[in-house]
Amino acid sequence: PGFPLAGGVIVNLDAGMAGYDETRGRSALRGILQRVRETPGVQSASYASLVPFGEFNESRLVQKAGTPPASSGQRDQGSDAVLTIVGADYFDTLRLAVVRGRGFTLSEEDSASGPRVAIIDEAAARQLFGAADPLGQSVQFANDKSAAGNAYAIVGVVSGVRHDLIDRAPVPHVYLPIGQHYRGRVYLHARLAGTGDGVESAMLATLRQTIRDRDDRIPVLDLRTLRQQRDKNIMLWGVNTGAKLFSVFGGVALVLAVIGVYGVKSYVVARRT
């Protein structure tokens, strides 16, 4: 997928289900993340609004800043990109290389103010800017009427990710800081110091207890390793089910063919005898 699965775990949290508004939700999620980062055995941790191989996706049409709206009956210019809201250390946690510029800072993770910034991946950079350097340039979302403005300065470019199992190559992504785009339901990504099923399973139990100790009102909707996230994907289940079904059909066809060949050969031998 563009990042290693070993040593990665994810936890699905929802501060909204605890009845928290944005202010209290920010504080609670910030405290949980800080506690997880301090947990022995965790190298890094961060939040994200989406998770690879997930059943849900959020896509936006990203354009160069200043691109005018398309005329009636025409399609807007730009790149269809997966939009992901992330915190600081997200790219380190997922092991995505920052090939140009920088990742998001802790202040951009915590604060709703400050310059509007974005990070894109190499696939989006090629589609939007070609061979030009995207750093320092700005992008916008098509038909975005937000009062806060519609230009995001690009501060970094990261390596690509194949978001779905059927992606043959990395698809365009655009990342925005969670401080400026609060989400109550998030995925907490953690990168562990060790790998292996035993280490990852033990850490899942540790993380559940750590979150409960920090704030027992926020429900833990799911805990799993990145391998489990991939293996439990409904698309992979459909592919595996289809493969098993057609294997059964192929086996039945093979048996029928063998019986038919045997019958013909037996008939020929009997006639010659």
Side-chain angles (χ1 to χ4, degrees):
F3 54 87
L5 300 178
V9 299
I10 54 175
V11 186
N12 191 1
L13 305 172
D14 193 341
M17 294 183 66
Y20 293 169
D21 59 11
E22 180 175 340
T23 301
R24 192 171 180 184
R26 283 179 181 273
S27 176
L29 293 176
R30 186 184 303 116
I32 290 174
L33 181 58
Q34 183 62 33
R35 185 71 63 85
V36 170
R37 285 170 172 167
E38 296 171 352
T39 300
V42 175
Q43 286 186 338
S44 61
S46 185
Y47 284 129
S49 60
L50 297 176
V51 61
F53 317 121
E55 282 73 34
F56 301 99
N57 203 346
E58 185 175 357
S59 298
R60 299 290 296 272
L61 183 62
V62 185
Q63 307 169 319
K64 290 183 180 180
T67 302
S71 57
S72 179
Q74 300 295 320
R75 186 183 185 277
D76 286 303
Q77 297 180 350
S79 173
D80 288 314
V82 177
L83 173 63
T84 310
I85 312 300
V86 303
D89 297 332
Y90 174 77
F91 305 110
D92 289 338
T93 301
L94 212 58
R95 295 294 188 266
L96 293 178
V98 179
V99 296
R100 292 189 63 81
R102 62 173 178 85
F104 293 128
T105 64
L106 289 175
S107 62
E108 291 167 343
E109 176 184 84
D110 293 335
S111 176
S113 60
R116 292 159 64 87
V117 295
I119 294 174
I120 60 176
D121 65 358
E122 293 177 303
R126 284 193 299 269
Q127 292 190 13
L128 291 173
F129 303 100
D133 187 359
L135 292 184
Q137 303 198 54
S138 298
V139 294
Q140 66 184 26
F141 296 121
N143 302 317
D144 188 353
K145 309 299 183 183
S146 61
N150 189 23
Y152 298 83
I154 299 175
V155 297
V157 179
V158 298
S159 57
V161 171
R162 288 186 292 169
H163 192 83
D164 293 322
L165 290 168
I166 61 174
D167 291 336
R168 293 182 176 272
V171 297
H173 282 69
V174 58
Y175 302 91
L176 300 180
I178 197 171
Q180 299 176 2
H181 306 272
Y182 170 74
R183 298 294 176 89
R185 179 168 181 171
V186 292
Y187 293 92
L188 192 157
H189 289 256
R191 177 63 59 178
L192 309 183
T195 59
D197 294 339
V199 173
E200 294 169 0
S201 298
M203 183 55 69
L204 290 178
T206 300
L207 291 179
R208 181 187 292 276
Q209 188 60 46
T210 299
I211 295 169
R212 182 180 291 118
D213 292 342
R214 183 61 179 80
D215 193 325
D216 58 2
R217 291 191 59 184
I218 293 184
V220 177
L221 303 180
D222 195 13
L223 296 94
R224 61 180 62 175
T225 67
L226 282 178
R227 287 194 186 94
Q228 292 171 340
Q229 173 69 18
R230 177 199 60 188
D231 295 341
K232 292 182 179 180
N233 180 267
I234 189 171
M235 189 177 297
L236 181 61
W237 175 86
V239 170
N240 288 336
T241 302
K244 293 176 182 177
L245 185 62
F246 282 106
S247 296
V248 172
F249 289 161
V252 172
L254 179 62
V255 171
L256 293 177
V258 169
I259 293 174
V261 171
Y262 173 80
V264 172
K265 193 66 177 177
S266 177
Y267 172 76
V268 171
V269 171
R271 293 285 293 174
R272 291 184 64 186
T273 301

